[in-house]
Amino acid sequence: MSATLIDGKPISLAIKDEAKKEAEELLRTRGITPGLAFILVGDDPASEIYVRSKGKTCAEIGFHSVTETRPVDTSQAEVLDLIARFNADPSIHGILVQFPLPKHIDEMKVIEAIDYRKDVDGFHPINVGRLVIGRPCLRPCTPAGIQEMLIRSGNDPGGRHVVIVGRSNLVGKPVLNILLQKQRGANAVATIAHTGARDIARYTREADIVIAAIGRPGFITGSMLKPGCTVIDVGINRIPDPTKKSGTRIIGDVEFTSASEVAAAITPVPGGVGLMTIAMLMKNTVLAASGTLYS
Ligand code: NAP
């Protein structure tokens, strides 16, 4: 079997286009332009690239955005002041603090300082709690993007057994909480595996849908999969590759060649889940700007 590719490009483009149209409608009917504030502390090149690319997407789809960049020795109090300023700014509907932050800053304190109605990353404890109990909320972008990929590629998780490998607060747990909801596009029977499992393959071989969010290159192989399953590879791992000019390349948590011989559908890395995160950030921002979620 050679699996069908679940291409993140057309799906993420369609979502960005929807966000653009929703923003146009907000402007036309209520005079609101969605506004997103980025806070970048330090000089991590990858973080700088992420923030620049998110700002570029905002401009492309008609959002207003501001970026506040601070040096690595910025105090926690200064970051909290910046957040307070954006919390009070009516032209800003979403606040994104780029992680990781320098070690002397407590990331949880930063997350908790953001007005939960502007928490477009979906990490604030109020949003986490609302997600768990099935109340409307801003949901983390990558997990929400995974759900969209499944639905839009004809792999609705409803009634299917989903095995998620990885239980991080960033990916694994929120994916579980999204796909468990008794709602259209969710309603999965879900299992989560992690380092406590003695034999990961015992779980993944039972799965109709495997979601790999592990951070280990090529960890899930074809022999660990049930024939005909769907595979969502969240992993982004940089490995050495002397054939590349940069000397490295990005691969996922799934060994693509063997997995695509067994699965019916699979996401590539790059070009899969990675493209969904910014698209869902735009969706969250327009949703936050509409002010309808928590009313
Ligand atoms: P993380 O916080 O390091 O969590 C990794 C999870 O995988 C943990 O729950 C860990 O289990 C589990 N795990 C690690 N090794 C394992 C093993 N040998 N067997 C079973 N479980 C194992 O990572 P993350 O933030 O969730 O990210 C996971 C991957 O997704 C990374 O490659 C990251 O770069 C990528 N990612 C991509 C996007 C995107 O596409 N936009 C966004 C976020 C993350 P324990 O809890 O037991 O330690």
PDB file of all heavy atoms in Angstrom, residues 208-238:
ATOM      1  N   ASP A 208      -6.820   3.461  14.606  1.00  0.00           N
ATOM      2  CA  ASP A 208      -7.280   3.861  13.268  1.00  0.00           C
ATOM      3  C   ASP A 208      -6.546   5.133  12.850  1.00  0.00           C
ATOM      4  O   ASP A 208      -6.327   5.371  11.673  1.00  0.00           O
ATOM      5  CB  ASP A 208      -8.789   4.157  13.296  1.00  0.00           C
ATOM      6  CG  ASP A 208      -9.591   2.957  13.780  1.00  0.00           C
ATOM      7  OD1 ASP A 208      -9.317   1.847  13.297  1.00  0.00           O
ATOM      8  OD2 ASP A 208     -10.476   3.135  14.650  1.00  0.00           O
ATOM      9  N   ILE A 209      -6.230   5.957  13.866  1.00  0.00           N
ATOM     10  CA  ILE A 209      -5.495   7.203  13.611  1.00  0.00           C
ATOM     11  C   ILE A 209      -4.360   7.289  14.633  1.00  0.00           C
ATOM     12  O   ILE A 209      -4.606   7.182  15.838  1.00  0.00           O
ATOM     13  CB  ILE A 209      -6.423   8.440  13.765  1.00  0.00           C
ATOM     14  CG1 ILE A 209      -7.574   8.385  12.746  1.00  0.00           C
ATOM     15  CG2 ILE A 209      -5.626   9.743  13.629  1.00  0.00           C
ATOM     16  CD1 ILE A 209      -8.642   9.450  12.924  1.00  0.00           C
ATOM     17  N   VAL A 210      -3.132   7.460  14.153  1.00  0.00           N
ATOM     18  CA  VAL A 210      -1.986   7.649  15.056  1.00  0.00           C
ATOM     19  C   VAL A 210      -1.543   9.107  14.958  1.00  0.00           C
ATOM     20  O   VAL A 210      -1.359   9.632  13.852  1.00  0.00           O
ATOM     21  CB  VAL A 210      -0.802   6.731  14.676  1.00  0.00           C
ATOM     22  CG1 VAL A 210       0.441   7.065  15.513  1.00  0.00           C
ATOM     23  CG2 VAL A 210      -1.173   5.269  14.869  1.00  0.00           C
ATOM     24  N   ILE A 211      -1.405   9.752  16.111  1.00  0.00           N
ATOM     25  CA  ILE A 211      -0.878  11.124  16.136  1.00  0.00           C
ATOM     26  C   ILE A 211       0.433  11.077  16.909  1.00  0.00           C
ATOM     27  O   ILE A 211       0.456  10.755  18.099  1.00  0.00           O
ATOM     28  CB  ILE A 211      -1.889  12.098  16.793  1.00  0.00           C
ATOM     29  CG1 ILE A 211      -3.198  12.084  15.985  1.00  0.00           C
ATOM     30  CG2 ILE A 211      -1.293  13.512  16.881  1.00  0.00           C
ATOM     31  CD1 ILE A 211      -4.320  12.915  16.565  1.00  0.00           C
ATOM     32  N   ALA A 212       1.534  11.370  16.205  1.00  0.00           N
ATOM     33  CA  ALA A 212       2.863  11.265  16.825  1.00  0.00           C
ATOM     34  C   ALA A 212       3.349  12.650  17.210  1.00  0.00           C
ATOM     35  O   ALA A 212       3.616  13.482  16.339  1.00  0.00           O
ATOM     36  CB  ALA A 212       3.828  10.590  15.859  1.00  0.00           C
ATOM     37  N   ALA A 213       3.455  12.907  18.513  1.00  0.00           N
ATOM     38  CA  ALA A 213       3.956  14.206  19.012  1.00  0.00           C
ATOM     39  C   ALA A 213       4.989  13.903  20.090  1.00  0.00           C
ATOM     40  O   ALA A 213       4.742  14.049  21.287  1.00  0.00           O
ATOM     41  CB  ALA A 213       2.812  15.041  19.561  1.00  0.00           C
ATOM     42  N   ILE A 214       6.141  13.423  19.635  1.00  0.00           N
ATOM     43  CA  ILE A 214       7.119  12.809  20.530  1.00  0.00           C
ATOM     44  C   ILE A 214       8.419  13.609  20.601  1.00  0.00           C
ATOM     45  O   ILE A 214       9.033  13.745  21.666  1.00  0.00           O
ATOM     46  CB  ILE A 214       7.443  11.359  20.029  1.00  0.00           C
ATOM     47  CG1 ILE A 214       6.154  10.602  19.704  1.00  0.00           C
ATOM     48  CG2 ILE A 214       8.261  10.596  21.049  1.00  0.00           C
ATOM     49  CD1 ILE A 214       6.355   9.361  18.864  1.00  0.00           C
ATOM     50  N   GLY A 215       8.857  14.104  19.442  1.00  0.00           N
ATOM     51  CA  GLY A 215      10.152  14.797  19.394  1.00  0.00           C
ATOM     52  C   GLY A 215      11.314  13.826  19.262  1.00  0.00           C
ATOM     53  O   GLY A 215      12.425  14.105  19.712  1.00  0.00           O
ATOM     54  N   ARG A 216      11.049  12.647  18.645  1.00  0.00           N
ATOM     55  CA  ARG A 216      12.099  11.643  18.381  1.00  0.00           C
ATOM     56  C   ARG A 216      12.052  11.298  16.894  1.00  0.00           C
ATOM     57  O   ARG A 216      11.052  10.735  16.428  1.00  0.00           O
ATOM     58  CB  ARG A 216      11.847  10.345  19.166  1.00  0.00           C
ATOM     59  CG  ARG A 216      11.759  10.514  20.663  1.00  0.00           C
ATOM     60  CD  ARG A 216      13.031  10.016  21.326  1.00  0.00           C
ATOM     61  NE  ARG A 216      12.933  10.149  22.758  1.00  0.00           N
ATOM     62  CZ  ARG A 216      13.194  11.255  23.444  1.00  0.00           C
ATOM     63  NH1 ARG A 216      13.538  12.356  22.826  1.00  0.00           N
ATOM     64  NH2 ARG A 216      13.104  11.280  24.771  1.00  0.00           N
ATOM     65  N   PRO A 217      13.126  11.614  16.141  1.00  0.00           N
ATOM     66  CA  PRO A 217      13.085  11.403  14.694  1.00  0.00           C
ATOM     67  C   PRO A 217      12.796   9.953  14.305  1.00  0.00           C
ATOM     68  O   PRO A 217      13.447   9.030  14.806  1.00  0.00           O
ATOM     69  CB  PRO A 217      14.483  11.835  14.226  1.00  0.00           C
ATOM     70  CG  PRO A 217      15.289  12.110  15.452  1.00  0.00           C
ATOM     71  CD  PRO A 217      14.376  12.206  16.616  1.00  0.00           C
ATOM     72  N   GLY A 218      11.806   9.768  13.444  1.00  0.00           N
ATOM     73  CA  GLY A 218      11.497   8.452  12.890  1.00  0.00           C
ATOM     74  C   GLY A 218      11.106   7.401  13.910  1.00  0.00           C
ATOM     75  O   GLY A 218      11.243   6.203  13.653  1.00  0.00           O
ATOM     76  N   PHE A 219      10.566   7.797  15.046  1.00  0.00           N
ATOM     77  CA  PHE A 219      10.257   6.854  16.138  1.00  0.00           C
ATOM     78  C   PHE A 219       9.182   5.828  15.723  1.00  0.00           C
ATOM     79  O   PHE A 219       9.282   4.650  16.029  1.00  0.00           O
ATOM     80  CB  PHE A 219       9.789   7.650  17.359  1.00  0.00           C
ATOM     81  CG  PHE A 219       9.507   6.845  18.585  1.00  0.00           C
ATOM     82  CD1 PHE A 219      10.508   6.593  19.517  1.00  0.00           C
ATOM     83  CD2 PHE A 219       8.240   6.322  18.820  1.00  0.00           C
ATOM     84  CE1 PHE A 219      10.247   5.848  20.658  1.00  0.00           C
ATOM     85  CE2 PHE A 219       7.971   5.578  19.960  1.00  0.00           C
ATOM     86  CZ  PHE A 219       8.974   5.346  20.877  1.00  0.00           C
ATOM     87  N   ILE A 220       8.143   6.304  15.045  1.00  0.00           N
ATOM     88  CA  ILE A 220       7.040   5.403  14.648  1.00  0.00           C
ATOM     89  C   ILE A 220       7.360   4.822  13.273  1.00  0.00           C
ATOM     90  O   ILE A 220       7.492   5.547  12.288  1.00  0.00           O
ATOM     91  CB  ILE A 220       5.693   6.174  14.572  1.00  0.00           C
ATOM     92  CG1 ILE A 220       5.367   6.884  15.901  1.00  0.00           C
ATOM     93  CG2 ILE A 220       4.553   5.257  14.115  1.00  0.00           C
ATOM     94  CD1 ILE A 220       4.898   6.018  17.025  1.00  0.00           C
ATOM     95  N   THR A 221       7.456   3.494  13.222  1.00  0.00           N
ATOM     96  CA  THR A 221       7.787   2.833  11.952  1.00  0.00           C
ATOM     97  C   THR A 221       6.552   2.094  11.412  1.00  0.00           C
ATOM     98  O   THR A 221       5.577   1.882  12.145  1.00  0.00           O
ATOM     99  CB  THR A 221       8.926   1.813  12.157  1.00  0.00           C
ATOM    100  OG1 THR A 221       8.464   0.855  13.123  1.00  0.00           O
ATOM    101  CG2 THR A 221      10.191   2.485  12.672  1.00  0.00           C
ATOM    102  N   GLY A 222       6.654   1.688  10.157  1.00  0.00           N
ATOM    103  CA  GLY A 222       5.528   0.992   9.532  1.00  0.00           C
ATOM    104  C   GLY A 222       5.085  -0.231  10.306  1.00  0.00           C
ATOM    105  O   GLY A 222       3.884  -0.521  10.389  1.00  0.00           O
ATOM    106  N   SER A 223       6.029  -0.961  10.918  1.00  0.00           N
ATOM    107  CA  SER A 223       5.668  -2.200  11.627  1.00  0.00           C
ATOM    108  C   SER A 223       4.869  -1.917  12.898  1.00  0.00           C
ATOM    109  O   SER A 223       4.327  -2.835  13.514  1.00  0.00           O
ATOM    110  CB  SER A 223       6.928  -2.994  11.970  1.00  0.00           C
ATOM    111  OG  SER A 223       7.699  -2.242  12.890  1.00  0.00           O
ATOM    112  N   MET A 224       4.793  -0.642  13.294  1.00  0.00           N
ATOM    113  CA  MET A 224       4.032  -0.287  14.512  1.00  0.00           C
ATOM    114  C   MET A 224       2.605   0.141  14.162  1.00  0.00           C
ATOM    115  O   MET A 224       1.865   0.583  15.042  1.00  0.00           O
ATOM    116  CB  MET A 224       4.732   0.865  15.247  1.00  0.00           C
ATOM    117  CG  MET A 224       6.114   0.501  15.762  1.00  0.00           C
ATOM    118  SD  MET A 224       7.048   1.947  16.289  1.00  0.00           S
ATOM    119  CE  MET A 224       6.247   2.347  17.836  1.00  0.00           C
ATOM    120  N   LEU A 225       2.230   0.046  12.881  1.00  0.00           N
ATOM    121  CA  LEU A 225       0.939   0.586  12.442  1.00  0.00           C
ATOM    122  C   LEU A 225      -0.016  -0.499  11.967  1.00  0.00           C
ATOM    123  O   LEU A 225       0.423  -1.557  11.480  1.00  0.00           O
ATOM    124  CB  LEU A 225       1.161   1.576  11.296  1.00  0.00           C
ATOM    125  CG  LEU A 225       2.050   2.786  11.607  1.00  0.00           C
ATOM    126  CD1 LEU A 225       2.363   3.563  10.318  1.00  0.00           C
ATOM    127  CD2 LEU A 225       1.376   3.697  12.637  1.00  0.00           C
ATOM    128  N   LYS A 226      -1.306  -0.192  12.069  1.00  0.00           N
ATOM    129  CA  LYS A 226      -2.330  -1.094  11.525  1.00  0.00           C
ATOM    130  C   LYS A 226      -2.518  -0.764  10.045  1.00  0.00           C
ATOM    131  O   LYS A 226      -2.635   0.423   9.700  1.00  0.00           O
ATOM    132  CB  LYS A 226      -3.638  -0.850  12.295  1.00  0.00           C
ATOM    133  CG  LYS A 226      -4.811  -1.667  11.824  1.00  0.00           C
ATOM    134  CD  LYS A 226      -5.947  -1.639  12.832  1.00  0.00           C
ATOM    135  CE  LYS A 226      -6.852  -0.447  12.624  1.00  0.00           C
ATOM    136  NZ  LYS A 226      -8.037  -0.496  13.482  1.00  0.00           N
ATOM    137  N   PRO A 227      -2.551  -1.747   9.162  1.00  0.00           N
ATOM    138  CA  PRO A 227      -2.748  -1.444   7.741  1.00  0.00           C
ATOM    139  C   PRO A 227      -4.010  -0.603   7.527  1.00  0.00           C
ATOM    140  O   PRO A 227      -5.056  -0.879   8.115  1.00  0.00           O
ATOM    141  CB  PRO A 227      -2.886  -2.832   7.091  1.00  0.00           C
ATOM    142  CG  PRO A 227      -2.119  -3.737   8.010  1.00  0.00           C
ATOM    143  CD  PRO A 227      -2.338  -3.181   9.398  1.00  0.00           C
ATOM    144  N   GLY A 228      -3.868   0.449   6.708  1.00  0.00           N
ATOM    145  CA  GLY A 228      -5.024   1.283   6.376  1.00  0.00           C
ATOM    146  C   GLY A 228      -5.283   2.429   7.346  1.00  0.00           C
ATOM    147  O   GLY A 228      -6.257   3.158   7.189  1.00  0.00           O
ATOM    148  N   CYS A 229      -4.408   2.601   8.321  1.00  0.00           N
ATOM    149  CA  CYS A 229      -4.642   3.675   9.299  1.00  0.00           C
ATOM    150  C   CYS A 229      -4.247   5.043   8.724  1.00  0.00           C
ATOM    151  O   CYS A 229      -3.709   5.140   7.619  1.00  0.00           O
ATOM    152  CB  CYS A 229      -3.845   3.403  10.583  1.00  0.00           C
ATOM    153  SG  CYS A 229      -2.080   3.602  10.371  1.00  0.00           S
ATOM    154  N   THR A 230      -4.557   6.073   9.514  1.00  0.00           N
ATOM    155  CA  THR A 230      -4.177   7.445   9.157  1.00  0.00           C
ATOM    156  C   THR A 230      -3.089   7.888  10.125  1.00  0.00           C
ATOM    157  O   THR A 230      -3.199   7.633  11.330  1.00  0.00           O
ATOM    158  CB  THR A 230      -5.408   8.370   9.282  1.00  0.00           C
ATOM    159  OG1 THR A 230      -6.376   7.919   8.329  1.00  0.00           O
ATOM    160  CG2 THR A 230      -5.061   9.821   9.006  1.00  0.00           C
ATOM    161  N   VAL A 231      -2.056   8.545   9.599  1.00  0.00           N
ATOM    162  CA  VAL A 231      -0.937   8.956  10.456  1.00  0.00           C
ATOM    163  C   VAL A 231      -0.736  10.464  10.382  1.00  0.00           C
ATOM    164  O   VAL A 231      -0.587  11.028   9.294  1.00  0.00           O
ATOM    165  CB  VAL A 231       0.372   8.238  10.021  1.00  0.00           C
ATOM    166  CG1 VAL A 231       1.544   8.690  10.891  1.00  0.00           C
ATOM    167  CG2 VAL A 231       0.209   6.729  10.114  1.00  0.00           C
ATOM    168  N   ILE A 232      -0.765  11.106  11.553  1.00  0.00           N
ATOM    169  CA  ILE A 232      -0.507  12.543  11.648  1.00  0.00           C
ATOM    170  C   ILE A 232       0.826  12.710  12.373  1.00  0.00           C
ATOM    171  O   ILE A 232       0.961  12.342  13.546  1.00  0.00           O
ATOM    172  CB  ILE A 232      -1.628  13.271  12.449  1.00  0.00           C
ATOM    173  CG1 ILE A 232      -3.013  12.997  11.849  1.00  0.00           C
ATOM    174  CG2 ILE A 232      -1.323  14.763  12.550  1.00  0.00           C
ATOM    175  CD1 ILE A 232      -3.285  13.643  10.512  1.00  0.00           C
ATOM    176  N   ASP A 233       1.792  13.249  11.662  1.00  0.00           N
ATOM    177  CA  ASP A 233       3.146  13.388  12.213  1.00  0.00           C
ATOM    178  C   ASP A 233       3.369  14.839  12.650  1.00  0.00           C
ATOM    179  O   ASP A 233       3.482  15.737  11.817  1.00  0.00           O
ATOM    180  CB  ASP A 233       4.156  12.988  11.131  1.00  0.00           C
ATOM    181  CG  ASP A 233       5.578  12.885  11.666  1.00  0.00           C
ATOM    182  OD1 ASP A 233       5.798  13.257  12.838  1.00  0.00           O
ATOM    183  OD2 ASP A 233       6.455  12.425  10.906  1.00  0.00           O
ATOM    184  N   VAL A 234       3.418  15.056  13.952  1.00  0.00           N
ATOM    185  CA  VAL A 234       3.575  16.414  14.484  1.00  0.00           C
ATOM    186  C   VAL A 234       5.063  16.772  14.643  1.00  0.00           C
ATOM    187  O   VAL A 234       5.426  17.939  14.691  1.00  0.00           O
ATOM    188  CB  VAL A 234       2.849  16.555  15.854  1.00  0.00           C
ATOM    189  CG1 VAL A 234       2.772  18.010  16.281  1.00  0.00           C
ATOM    190  CG2 VAL A 234       1.441  15.969  15.786  1.00  0.00           C
ATOM    191  N   GLY A 235       5.895  15.779  14.717  1.00  0.00           N
ATOM    192  CA  GLY A 235       7.314  15.993  15.045  1.00  0.00           C
ATOM    193  C   GLY A 235       8.051  16.920  14.089  1.00  0.00           C
ATOM    194  O   GLY A 235       7.815  16.907  12.873  1.00  0.00           O
ATOM    195  N   ILE A 236       8.906  17.737  14.663  1.00  0.00           N
ATOM    196  CA  ILE A 236       9.821  18.573  13.866  1.00  0.00           C
ATOM    197  C   ILE A 236      11.211  18.348  14.460  1.00  0.00           C
ATOM    198  O   ILE A 236      11.505  18.837  15.550  1.00  0.00           O
ATOM    199  CB  ILE A 236       9.442  20.074  13.949  1.00  0.00           C
ATOM    200  CG1 ILE A 236       8.026  20.307  13.382  1.00  0.00           C
ATOM    201  CG2 ILE A 236      10.472  20.926  13.208  1.00  0.00           C
ATOM    202  CD1 ILE A 236       7.562  21.751  13.444  1.00  0.00           C
ATOM    203  N   ASN A 237      12.015  17.546  13.784  1.00  0.00           N
ATOM    204  CA  ASN A 237      13.348  17.205  14.302  1.00  0.00           C
ATOM    205  C   ASN A 237      14.394  17.560  13.252  1.00  0.00           C
ATOM    206  O   ASN A 237      14.266  17.164  12.091  1.00  0.00           O
ATOM    207  CB  ASN A 237      13.437  15.702  14.583  1.00  0.00           C
ATOM    208  CG  ASN A 237      12.286  15.202  15.460  1.00  0.00           C
ATOM    209  OD1 ASN A 237      12.231  15.507  16.645  1.00  0.00           O
ATOM    210  ND2 ASN A 237      11.350  14.452  14.876  1.00  0.00           N
ATOM    211  N   ARG A 238      15.390  18.297  13.686  1.00  0.00           N
ATOM    212  CA  ARG A 238      16.478  18.654  12.756  1.00  0.00           C
ATOM    213  C   ARG A 238      17.585  17.611  12.889  1.00  0.00           C
ATOM    214  O   ARG A 238      18.092  17.379  13.986  1.00  0.00           O
ATOM    215  CB  ARG A 238      16.998  20.060  13.105  1.00  0.00           C
ATOM    216  CG  ARG A 238      17.945  20.621  12.055  1.00  0.00           C
ATOM    217  CD  ARG A 238      18.263  22.075  12.316  1.00  0.00           C
ATOM    218  NE  ARG A 238      17.160  22.968  12.025  1.00  0.00           N
ATOM    219  CZ  ARG A 238      16.819  23.393  10.804  1.00  0.00           C
ATOM    220  NH1 ARG A 238      17.515  22.991   9.759  1.00  0.00           N
ATOM    221  NH2 ARG A 238      15.796  24.196  10.636  1.00  0.00           N
TER     222      ARG A 238
END
